Amino acid sequence: MPGEDGYQHDLLVIGGGGAGLRAAIAAAEESNRLSIAVLSKVYPMRSHTVSAEGGTAAVMRDDDSLDTHAKDTIFGSDFLADQDVVETFVREAPGEVIQLEHWGCPWSRDPDGRVSVRPFGGMTVNRTLYAADKTGFHMLHSLFQTSLKYEKIVRYDEWFATSLLIEDGTVCGVTALNLHDGRMRPIVAKAVIMCTGGAGRIFPFTTNAAIKTGDGMALAYRAGVPLKDMEFVQYHPTGLPGTGILITEAARGEGGHLKNKDGYRYLQDYGLGPPTDTPVHRKMELGPRDILSRCHIQEHQKGRTFDGPYGHYVHLDLRHLGEKLIDKNLPFVRELARNYVGIDPVHEPIPVRPVVHYMMGGISTDITGKTSLDGLYAAGEAACVSINGANRLGSNSLTELLVFGARAGRSAARHALERAAPRSNPLAQLASDERRRLDQRFLRVDGREKIADIREEMQKAMESGCGIYRDRATMEATCQTLAKLRERFAHISLADKDAVFNTELIAALELECTLEVAETVARSALAREESRGSHTRTDFPKRDDARFLKHSLAYRTPDGPRIEYLPVTITRWPPEERKY
Amino acid sequence: MSEPRVERPGLYYPKLPTTWWLRNTNYFLFMLRELSSVFIMVFLVLFLVELYRLSQGPKAYGAYLETLRAPGWIVFHVVALAFALYHSVTWFKLSGVVQVVRVGERQVPPSLVTAASFALWAVVSIVLLWFMVRG
Amino acid sequence: MSDATITLEVTRYRPGHDREPHPQSFEVPFQKDWVVLDALNHIKDRIDGTLSYRWSCRMGVCGSCGMMVNGVPKLTCAAFLRDYRPGPIRVEPLANFPVIRDLVIALDDFMEKLRRVKPWIIRAEEKPVSEGEYRQTPAQLETYKQFSMCINCMLCYAACPVYGLAPAFVGPAAIALAYRYNLDSRDEGYRLREPVMSDAVGVWECTFVGECSVVCPKGVDPAAAIQRSKLAGATDWLLSMVMPWGGRR
C-alpha cells in the first residue's frame, strides 16, 4: 500500500509476475533513492508465472556455448527474432539464473551440487534449468519473497490499472481502481513498466490463467504504442483436453513419447525421426512446439487421433520412465493428470492435445525495454523485445522475463532519476474523469449484452480464424465478428453496481482489453501472407523472406488496427530453411 | 493470549464459536488429547500421595490402598489408563513428525521413526512388567 | 450431458448492505468433470453476475480459490462436484479470515506476517553472481524442499483453531516458510528469524492440533515445521543455558 507520499512514486511496475518483480528488484538495486511501486490486479504470488513448469534456459555447461543458444533461438523463431537482442539475451541469461539461485530458488541439483540442466524442445544441448516441474512457481515465489526484503518497494495488491496518464507525450502514471473499496486513484510515476503478461484468454482453449487478458497490451495500444508480431500465437502440443491444463514439455525432455491411437510414435512421419529410445535433441518429441502442434492436426486429419468429449487427442506416454523418475522430476505432471483426468501416468498414457499457450507478440520495445512512448517500458510476455520471433522455444520465456525484466527495471530507474516529478493536480482531475467514464460506461446504463456471451463469441471466432492453420476467408470472418463484438460491447450490462470487490466490473474491463488484443492478432495474421513459425497459412504455405522477413506493428485507429512493418535485425545468422 | 486485532469497517469478522471442536473429528480428538492431561495430572497427584503414605509406614500405605479400592477410584483409574494410553499413542505417532533422524545424508522416513518409538515403548513396558511380575 | 443438477449454497455478504453473511442457493448443471469453481463460474456467467470470488490458474498452483466446501478448507479448482453428490454443497469464505465480500477474504494480515518472518536468503556476506552458484547437493535440497512448496492458499489458516481464537498467531504457512529458509544450506538467517519464531505469537502459540497439515493441498506439513522449530528453539535455549558462550548454529 502507498507510503507517506500518497500515490506518488518514481517508478511504477504494472504486474507482479516474474518480469514485474524482477524489474522492481533491479530498480531497487539500481538506486536506493527511488520509490518503487508494484501494482497488480492480483496478489503477486497469484500471477501466471506460477503455472510455468518445465524450466529456464541458460548456457551453464562446458558442452554449451552462447552462440549455440543464440542459433537455436533464432532458428526456432524462424528467423524473425532480432539477432542483436538474442545475443544480449543469451549473454545475460546465465547471470540471471545464478542471481535467482542466490535468491533461494530451489533449482534441481546434480549429485555434485551444481544446478541440473535438462533437454528441451528445439535446443541442441541440455541447457534448461529446472525446479522439478514447478519451475515458474519456485521462481515466482523466490522473486516475491526476495522482493519483501526491499522496503523501498511498495505494493498495490488487487488494484486494476485502467489507463495510462500522459502529459505532453510523456507517461506520468496510471489511473487505477482499488478493488477493495472501488475507488479510482491516479498513481503518479516518472516511469511505468508494463509486465502484465500475455492474453491467452482471447482463445477458448488455453493453458493460461483467467487473469491473462492482455490488460497491459491494451493500455499501451490505446496510448498509441504499437503491438508487435501479434499474429504469432504459440500452441503448446500437450495440454489436457477439456481444461487445457499444461502438461510440461519437460515430460518429453525426460523421455516421454507422443503416440497416436495405434500406439505409433507418429512424429517420425513428419520428418522428425528416426525414433529412438532415449531422447535426441531437436528430434521427435523434442521438436519445436509449432511443428509438433501442426503434426497433431495432420495426424487428426488422417483419422489417427483419439476422439473424446473434448475433441481429438493423442497419448503422451511416460510409463517407460518409471515411477521413481516421474516422482523426482515430474511430480506435478503426475498430480495434474491424477486430479484432472483421473489418470496415473505411471500406469497409463496421458491424453493431450495442442492448446494456446503463449503470445510471441506484445508491446513493441527496444533492447532496454523502452517503448515508443516516453516513460513507458515493458517486459515479459506483455512485451515483444523480439527474441521469440515467430515461434518461441520452450524454457526461453522464463529466462526472458528475468533478463528483460531486469533490463527494463534498470533503464526505467535511470529514466526516473533524470526526470522531475510530474505535477499531480491535473492528474487527480484525470482520475475522476476516468471514474466517471467507467460509471457511465458500465454502472449507470442498462445494456442488453452479457459479458459471457461476448467473451464466448470472441473466443470462438479466434479459434476458428487464428488457430494452428489459418486462411484468408476464415480470418476475414473473424475480423468481422470482432468488429461487431466491439460494437456490442458498448451495450454491455452489468448486474453488479457495488463498489467493493466488483469482479464483474473487472471482467468487463478485461473483456474490453481482450477484444482489442484479439483484433490486433487477427488483423496482423490476415496481413501476413506467408507461413512462418506458429503462423501457418493454408493459402500461403511457404515462408516469404522477400515480403515478410519483418515484424508487423499494429497501431490503434478508430476503425481497428493499422498494420505497419519493421525490419528484422540480422547479425550473424542469415536466414536459411528451417528443418529439424 | 495476544492483543485484540484492530477491526476495519466494512469487513465482516467471523467469531469462532465455543463449540468449534465439535466441528470435525480431528478437532475433537485434539480436545480429548488436551483433556487427557487432566486425568494424568490427577493420577500423578494420587501417585505422589501414595509415595508419601509409603514413607509413613505400612499402615498408612495399606489404608491408602484400601481407599483406592473404592469403585469410584477404580473407574477413575481405568479411564485415566485409557487416556494415558491414548496420550502416549498420539505422542509416539508425532515423534516421527517432530524428530528428524538422518542416516548419512538420507532422512529416515517418519513412519520408521514412529515404528521404532513404539517398539522402544513396548520393550520398556515388557521389561518393567517383567520386573513387577518377578518382584 | 445429462439434465441432472446440483445445488450450491453459497455465502453472500455485501458490505454496507448486509449485517452479516447469509447463504444463497443456486442450482447448477451437474457435470461429472466439473469442480466447484466451474459451478461458481457458471453462476457468475449465467445466473448472478454479482457473485464475487477469486480464481485464476484453475490448476491448483496459484492459490487464489481457497474456500470452505462443506465446512472443509479446499481449493475449489480441485474439489469435484461428483464427490459431493447429491448435495447441496455449502460454499463459504475461508474460515477465520475477515470477509471483504461474498467469498473474498482479507489477506493483508498474512502478507504482513510473511514479511515479518524474513522469507528470503540471508547471508553475512553475499557472493557475487560472477562467482557462480552456491553448491547444494540433492540431499541438502531435499531437507527444505517440502516446505518450499507452499502456495500461500491460506487453507491452513482456515483450519487452525488457534488462528481463529488468537489472530495474532504468526500461523502455519508463514512459519513453514521461515523454517524452509532456516533449513536451506545457503541461508545464514536463523538468528534473525528466531525472535519472530519464538515470540509469544510465534511457534509456542501452536498447540499442535495438526489440522493445517491435513488440509494442505501441497503436502507441505506446516505442523511438522512448527514442532521442529519448537524443538530447535528449545534445544537452542537449553544450550545457551549450559554454554552461555555460544550454543549451536
Side-chain angles (χ1 to χ4, degrees):
Chain A
M1 286 299 281
E4 287 167 16
D5 297 341
Y7 304 93
Q8 283 248 6
H9 304 281
D10 294 302
L11 189 63
L12 175 63
V13 183
I14 312 290
L21 293 171
R22 185 65 192 90
I25 296 173
E29 303 248 293
E30 181 75 16
S31 163
N32 55 18
R33 288 188 290 133
L34 290 171
S35 152
I36 300 156
V38 175
L39 180 148
S40 169
K41 64 177 175 179
V42 293
Y43 281 92
M45 65 276 186
R46 314 297 187 216
S47 309
H48 188 59
T49 305
V50 84
S51 300
E53 297 174 15
T56 309
V59 173
M60 299 299 285
R61 297 290 166 89
D62 293 339
D63 64 350
D64 201 356
S65 73
L66 298 181
D67 275 6
T68 327
H69 190 188
K71 167 113 204 257
D72 287 346
T73 302
I74 290 161
F75 202 76
S77 80
D78 219 346
F79 293 90
L80 200 69
D82 283 331
Q83 298 183 2
D84 55 337
V85 182
V86 174
E87 288 187 74
T88 302
F89 166 70
V90 300
R91 199 171 53 240
E92 294 181 7
E96 281 296 329
V97 297
I98 289 168
Q99 176 64 79
L100 206 62
E101 194 275 337
H102 290 193
W103 286 336
C105 186
W107 297 119
S108 293
R109 304 281 179 159
D110 282 2
D112 65 0
R114 290 184 301 168
V115 293
S116 302
V117 283
R118 64 164 43 133
F120 235 69
M123 303 278 190
T124 319
V125 288
N126 293 4
R127 67 163 69 96
T128 298
L129 292 82
Y130 57 98
D133 55 356
K134 283 195 177 173
T135 312
F137 161 78
H138 285 298
M139 281 177 60
L140 182 68
H141 281 253
S142 299
L143 282 168
F144 175 59
Q145 287 163 10
T146 300
S147 81
L148 297 175
K149 184 167 74 171
Y150 299 87
E151 282 172 16
K152 301 241 81 146
I153 302 178
V154 296
R155 287 203 325 273
Y156 295 82
D157 294 331
E158 301 194 311
W159 287 59
F160 190 95
T162 63
S163 73
L164 281 166
L165 292 171
I166 298 167
E167 229 183 15
D168 303 328
T170 297
V171 168
C172 42
V174 298
T175 56
L177 188 71
N178 180 355
L179 263 79
H180 292 235
D181 61 11
R183 288 169 74 176
M184 180 78 74
R185 289 202 170 83
I187 299 173
V188 181
K190 298 180 202 168
V192 172
I193 313 179
M194 281 295 173
C195 301
T196 49
R201 286 276 159 175
I202 60 179
F203 288 88
F205 186 62
T206 173
T207 60
N208 283 195
I211 53 175
K212 301 249 339 240
T213 47
D215 313 334
M217 291 180 181
L219 252 52
Y221 179 60
R222 285 176 205 152
V225 180
L227 301 185
K228 192 198 287 169
D229 291 338
M230 292 302 285
E231 62 271 43
F232 299 105
V233 176
Q234 178 163 76
Y235 274 77
H236 193 291
T238 59
L240 293 181
T243 56
I245 288 171
L246 172 69
I247 298 298
T248 174
E249 190 163 306
R252 286 171 280 129
E254 297 290 341
H257 294 158
L258 283 172
K259 293 175 175 171
N260 67 15
K261 71 174 184 183
D262 307 319
Y264 174 70
R265 289 174 69 189
Y266 59 92
L267 292 174
Q268 60 190 288
D269 295 354
Y270 301 91
L272 287 160
T276 48
D277 286 340
T278 48
V280 174
H281 292 110
R282 298 170 21 120
K283 294 285 174 200
M284 292 298 290
E285 286 83 1
L286 287 180
R289 292 175 177 175
D290 56 340
I291 295 179
L292 261 55
S293 294
R294 282 195 290 273
C295 293
H296 175 100
I297 301 297
Q298 290 179 34
E299 198 64 8
H300 168 63
Q301 284 160 355
K302 290 178 191 162
R304 301 201 298 200
T305 54
F306 296 93
D307 271 314
Y310 300 104
H312 45 90
Y313 63 90
V314 293
H315 274 159
L316 174 62
D317 196 347
L318 308 182
R319 288 174 295 184
H320 55 286
L321 302 181
E323 184 165 8
K324 215 173 143 196
L325 181 81
I326 291 175
D327 281 346
K328 180 166 167 277
N329 286 346
L330 303 167
F332 196 34
V333 166
R334 193 173 184 192
E335 181 187 328
L336 291 170
R338 273 175 160 176
N339 285 353
Y340 292 96
V341 283
I343 274 172
D344 184 351
V346 171
H347 305 295
E348 288 166 279
I350 312 169
V352 290
R353 58 172 305 191
V355 51
V356 169
H357 184 53
Y358 186 86
M359 317 264 314
M360 267 69 77
I363 303 165
S364 179
T365 74
D366 69 10
I367 200 163
T368 67
K370 200 169 148 20
T371 71
S372 59
L373 179 61
D374 187 43
L376 183 68
Y377 297 75
E381 194 182 349
C384 180
V385 62
S386 217
I387 62 155
N388 300 313
N391 173 64
R392 175 175 72 84
L393 290 190
S395 76
N396 265 351
S397 67
L398 288 178
T399 316
E400 178 183 358
L401 62 80
L402 293 174
V403 170
F404 292 100
R407 286 189 142 247
R410 286 193 294 266
S411 52
R414 278 180 227 129
H415 174 88
L417 285 169
E418 285 162 13
R419 268 194 63 197
R423 295 165 301 141
S424 59
N425 281 350
L427 301 174
Q429 183 58 43
L430 289 176
S432 60
D433 290 351
E434 175 71 358
R435 176 74 242 187
R436 206 167 310 121
R437 183 183 76 85
L438 292 197
D439 284 352
Q440 281 164 1
R441 186 90 196 252
F442 299 112
L443 301 182
R444 297 214 187 108
V445 291
D446 284 310
R448 54 182 186 277
E449 296 288 354
K450 285 190 82 129
I451 292 175
D453 292 336
I454 296 184
R455 187 169 54 215
E456 275 169 26
E457 285 182 45
M458 168 191 70
Q459 291 173 338
K460 225 168 77 192
M462 289 306 287
E463 187 170 54
S464 90
C466 299
I468 295 175
Y469 284 97
R470 304 165 171 181
D471 64 69
R472 176 188 297 278
T474 42
M475 276 191 288
E476 277 174 347
T478 296
C479 290
Q480 278 165 15
T481 308
L482 292 175
K484 257 188 233 139
L485 289 174
R486 192 147 51 101
E487 280 168 30
R488 283 174 58 189
F489 182 79
H491 306 288
I492 199 102
S493 154
L494 299 192
D496 195 343
K497 318 276 189 205
D498 279 2
V500 176
F501 230 94
N502 188 332
T503 48
E504 199 185 22
L505 175 60
I506 298 300
L509 293 168
E510 289 173 335
L511 179 60
E512 197 176 21
C513 293
T514 49
L515 280 172
E516 293 205 89
V517 172
E519 262 194 309
T520 65
V521 173
R523 284 281 162 195
S524 308
L526 184 60
R528 185 175 287 273
E529 296 178 330
E530 65 159 351
S531 291
R532 182 188 296 272
S534 67
H535 174 71
T536 313
R537 300 259 318 229
T538 50
D539 45 356
F540 296 94
K542 289 245 173 324
R543 193 173 90 191
D544 186 350
D545 284 345
R547 284 179 70 207
F548 288 106
L549 184 59
K550 50 194 181 186
H551 303 293
S552 43
L553 295 176
Y555 288 88
R556 190 170 191 265
T557 78
D559 315 315
R562 178 185 80 242
I563 308 299
E564 293 182 11
Y565 292 96
L566 186 75
V568 173
T569 308
I570 307 283
T571 56
R572 292 189 282 145
W573 295 274
E576 55 180 279
E577 194 194 351
R578 179 167 170 248
K579 268 191 80 171
Y580 284 91
Chain B
M1 285 300 261
S2 44
E3 298 272 307
R5 68 178 149 191
V6 185
E7 299 199 349
R8 285 190 286 139
L11 299 191
Y12 174 76
Y13 288 82
K15 305 275 173 290
L16 203 59
T18 42
T19 53
W20 64 268
W21 50 280
L22 293 172
R23 277 185 184 171
N24 89 25
T25 328
N26 288 339
Y27 289 167
F28 183 73
L29 291 176
F30 161 76
M31 277 312 240
L32 273 191
R33 196 180 80 208
E34 298 291 281
L35 185 68
S36 67
S37 61
V38 174
F39 285 83
I40 291 165
M41 186 191 70
V42 173
F43 171 77
L44 284 175
V45 170
L46 290 175
F47 186 63
L48 286 175
V49 173
E50 191 177 326
L51 289 179
Y52 176 67
R53 290 280 192 248
L54 191 62
S55 73
Q56 289 176 323
K59 208 175 151 206
Y61 183 61
Y64 183 64
L65 287 187
E66 198 52 45
T67 322
L68 290 186
R69 287 212 178 89
W73 281 121
I74 291 180
V75 170
F76 167 81
H77 276 92
V78 169
V79 175
L81 178 66
F83 270 122
L85 285 173
Y86 175 63
H87 198 106
S88 308
V89 168
T90 55
W91 172 265
F92 284 115
K93 270 172 125 173
L94 300 176
S95 59
V97 174
V98 177
Q99 186 60 56
V100 181
V101 180
R102 279 178 212 291
V103 174
E105 288 219 304
R106 293 259 156 251
Q107 187 186 328
V108 177
S111 53
L112 209 65
V113 177
T114 303
S117 305
F118 273 113
L120 192 69
W121 183 31
V123 168
V124 171
S125 301
I126 289 167
V127 169
L128 282 176
L129 211 64
W130 183 69
F131 270 112
M132 282 160 65
V133 170
R134 209 185 56 143
Chain C
M1 218 186 276
S2 71
D3 297 330
T5 62
I6 193 161
T7 301
L8 262 65
E9 281 171 8
V10 182
T11 300
R12 304 302 306 265
Y13 172 67
R14 278 176 79 194
H17 298 269
D18 299 332
R19 246 170 180 291
E20 53 183 39
H22 56 90
Q24 184 180 356
S25 287
F26 296 98
E27 199 173 298
V28 300
F30 175 81
Q31 311 266 19
K32 77 171 180 3
D33 48 6
W34 267 19
V35 291
V36 170
L37 178 62
D38 291 319
L40 293 175
N41 284 339
H42 177 84
I43 295 170
K44 179 137 193 100
D45 285 350
R46 297 294 162 200
I47 306 174
D48 184 349
T50 67
L51 181 65
S52 288
Y53 52 95
R54 295 188 180 104
W55 73 290
S56 182
C57 78
R58 55 80 181 91
M59 56 192 276
V61 70
C62 79
S64 308
C65 69
M67 297 168 208
M68 305 298 284
V69 181
N70 280 356
V72 180
K74 288 272 178 197
L75 293 179
T76 51
C77 71
F80 284 85
L81 296 182
R82 58 176 184 253
D83 296 333
Y84 297 92
R85 277 196 105 171
I89 307 174
R90 233 168 351 108
V91 185
E92 299 162 298
L94 281 180
N96 302 335
F97 287 94
V99 181
I100 296 174
R101 177 179 172 176
D102 294 346
L103 300 164
V104 180
I105 51 125
L107 243 93
D108 19 5
D109 177 54
F110 169 73
M111 299 306 278
E112 185 275 319
K113 285 168 178 165
L114 182 63
R115 180 172 235 158
R116 215 194 303 160
V117 301
K118 305 188 194 309
W120 53 80
I121 295 280
I122 298 170
R123 306 231 0 136
E125 240 174 279
E126 304 238 1
K127 173 164 141 177
V129 167
S130 56
E131 287 175 24
E133 76 237 58
Y134 295 107
R135 295 289 177 105
Q136 184 169 69
T137 64
Q140 286 173 322
L141 170 67
E142 210 47 51
T143 55
Y144 71 88
K145 181 89 195 222
Q146 173 186 13
F147 303 107
S148 73
M149 304 304 278
C150 171
I151 61 171
N152 305 354
C153 65
M154 301 292 105
L155 301 197
C156 55
Y157 285 77
C160 175
V162 175
Y163 183 63
L165 294 165
F169 176 40
V170 174
I175 294 175
L177 282 163
Y179 186 61
R180 166 248 180 279
Y181 282 96
N182 283 344
L183 289 179
D184 194 317
S185 59
R186 298 167 288 188
D187 184 79
E188 299 166 348
Y190 176 82
R191 287 262 163 253
L192 292 170
R193 289 183 201 102
E194 185 54 18
V196 188
M197 295 283 266
S198 55
D199 189 64
V201 293
V203 292
W204 298 104
E205 189 84 315
C206 168
T207 53
F208 204 174
V209 180
E211 193 66 1
C212 53
S213 297
V214 175
V215 301
C216 177
K218 298 289 142 184
V220 173
D221 203 351
I226 299 174
Q227 311 324 311
R228 288 179 203 170
S229 298
K230 285 181 187 169
L231 194 64
T235 317
D236 242 23
W237 177 80
L238 207 64
L239 284 176
S240 72
M241 298 301 282
V242 181
M243 304 184 289
W245 57 90
R248 54 183 272 234
R249 293 193 202 235

